Amino acid sequence: MLRNKSFVKRTRKGNVVRTVKEHYLRDDIVCGLESCQHATCAQARSDAAQAAPLSATPRDSTTWGPHYLLPDTNALVNQIDIFERPIINDVVVLSTVLDELRALSIATYNRVRAIVRDPARRWFVFSNEHHRATFVERAAGESPNDRNDR
């Protein structure tokens, strides 16, 4: 699916230029779960020599049962010290959260990227901005934080 935004703007010289921004939405982006039975995820696991980044048996608790963590930007900015502990595994970081984190605090962004690069930690970046099922159109006047919360 293709989404287009087209607008006209005037350059410094006074010329009128038409600008088109294309945003492709896809169905074939893998989720990173080892236990996912979706055809796209299974094909990606069979093609790659490495296992999926998120384990099939995540951390279990008596309150919530087996679960994965999906932190928002505020949680990562305010609690990065807790997320850096080696006990915090099986985390899915959304690409929109990473983009907002880069704009807010480059130091925290670099710390999160370092954790994602460590395969023992089992952190996964999901491209929710480019997946058809998870894409959310930004409303007029809405801040990036409000959009991510929605």
Side-chain angles (χ1 to χ4, degrees):
M1 180 178 171
L2 173 67
R3 301 183 61 92
N4 286 328
K5 286 185 180 179
S6 178
F7 55 93
V8 179
K9 67 178 183 178
R10 188 176 299 266
T11 64
R12 289 185 182 183
K13 292 183 178 181
N15 299 334
V16 176
V17 178
R18 181 172 181 242
T19 304
V20 177
K21 291 186 178 181
E22 296 179 341
H23 190 164
Y24 292 93
L25 299 177
R26 303 172 48 169
D27 288 329
D28 60 346
I29 298 174
V30 297
C31 64
L33 297 175
E34 197 173 69
S35 60
C36 182
Q37 299 302 319
H38 193 270
T40 304
C41 295
Q43 181 66 33
R45 278 195 309 273
S46 66
D47 291 346
Q50 63 197 32
L54 299 173
S55 70
T57 56
R59 181 171 302 280
D60 197 0
S61 72
T62 57
T63 307
W64 298 305
H67 60 277
Y68 299 97
L69 294 177
L70 278 97
D72 69 343
T73 307
N74 296 328
L76 288 171
V77 167
N78 297 324
Q79 306 297 331
I80 188 63
D81 295 333
I82 293 172
F83 282 105
E84 284 182 321
R85 295 187 180 186
I87 197 167
I88 306 292
N89 296 326
D90 293 320
V91 177
V92 179
V93 181
L94 303 177
S95 63
T96 53
V97 170
L98 273 181
D99 293 341
E100 187 181 354
L101 192 61
R102 182 176 42 217
L104 289 176
S105 171
I106 195 71
T108 306
Y109 170 79
N110 289 334
R111 290 165 73 178
V112 170
R113 293 301 296 178
I115 297 170
V116 169
R117 279 188 224 107
D118 183 5
R121 296 294 303 275
R122 297 190 314 263
W123 281 46
F124 181 72
V125 177
F126 180 71
S127 297
N128 64 320
E129 190 70 8
H130 302 290
H131 197 284
R132 185 186 315 252
T134 58
F135 175 73
V136 176
E137 188 73 37
R138 185 174 176 195
E142 187 176 36
S143 73
N145 192 22
D146 292 340
R147 178 175 174 246
N148 288 340
D149 290 343
R150 189 167 44 102

